[in-house]
Amino acid sequence: MAKILIVEDEAEDFERIAVFLKNKGFQIVGAKNGYEGIYQFDKESPDLVVLDWNMPGLAGIEVCRTIKEKKKQVPIVILTIQPQLQHKREGFQAGCDDYLVKPCDMNELLARIQYLLGKIQKPVLQKLTYGDIL
């Protein structure tokens, strides 16, 4: 079961996303602002982050940069009301792996999350053999 960190300051948006993803079998961790998001990221080691852009304190774009500096391989989906191309460009430059504009269809969000989680390389155990020795 993949663990998803949702960083969202709007309680209604958080609840809608969290309930939907829980019902799809994901473990959910929440944060109400950017600073809490970074704290929860360090504490919980999520497999993926769903991140709002507009939050009080530390903006989502800065949270994205910080997370990518810590663990580049963790996928980040920015979910925001910002539809402008300049925001999308800035999000991808900061390291996000996907960008969706609110309100979005929950099944589309699910499809994108499943795709990104499928791209994560799982460590493959390899056997080293030499002659009869395994």
Side-chain angles (χ1 to χ4, degrees):
M1 165 179 11
K3 185 186 297 186
I4 297 177
L5 170 61
I6 302 171
V7 186
E8 173 63 66
D9 64 321
E10 295 292 330
E12 188 176 305
D13 287 347
F14 172 81
E15 191 65 24
R16 184 171 60 93
I17 298 164
V19 167
F20 178 81
L21 293 176
K22 276 183 189 177
N23 288 336
K24 298 299 180 184
F26 294 100
Q27 182 181 353
I28 302 300
V29 176
K32 297 176 184 169
N33 61 56
Y35 293 111
E36 187 180 347
I38 292 171
Y39 171 79
Q40 290 289 23
F41 179 82
D42 291 339
K43 179 182 169 199
E44 297 289 338
S45 297
D47 300 301
L48 183 136
V49 178
V50 175
L51 178 62
D52 186 19
W53 184 299
N54 299 321
M55 291 183 290
L58 190 63
I61 195 73
E62 293 304 321
V63 176
C64 181
R65 284 188 186 104
T66 301
I67 288 173
K68 285 298 185 171
E69 287 173 6
K70 292 173 181 259
K71 277 191 172 175
K72 190 174 184 161
Q73 73 275 17
V74 174
I76 297 175
V77 177
I78 291 181
L79 184 58
T80 180
I81 61 170
Q82 302 292 341
Q84 299 88 356
L85 180 58
Q86 76 181 53
H87 284 99
K88 292 177 184 180
R89 187 176 294 132
E90 189 176 345
F92 284 111
Q93 288 171 345
C96 81
D97 298 275
D98 209 340
Y99 189 107
L100 285 167
V101 177
K102 292 180 193 176
C104 76
D105 181 275
M106 288 291 100
N107 287 308
E108 180 179 3
L109 176 61
L110 176 63
R112 292 174 184 235
I113 287 171
Q114 289 171 329
Y115 172 75
L116 290 170
L117 289 173
K119 288 180 62 174
I120 297 173
Q121 296 293 325
K122 305 280 186 210
V124 177
L125 298 176
Q126 297 179 346
K127 290 183 182 178
L128 179 62
T129 61
Y130 182 79
D132 294 336
I133 303 172
L134 294 177

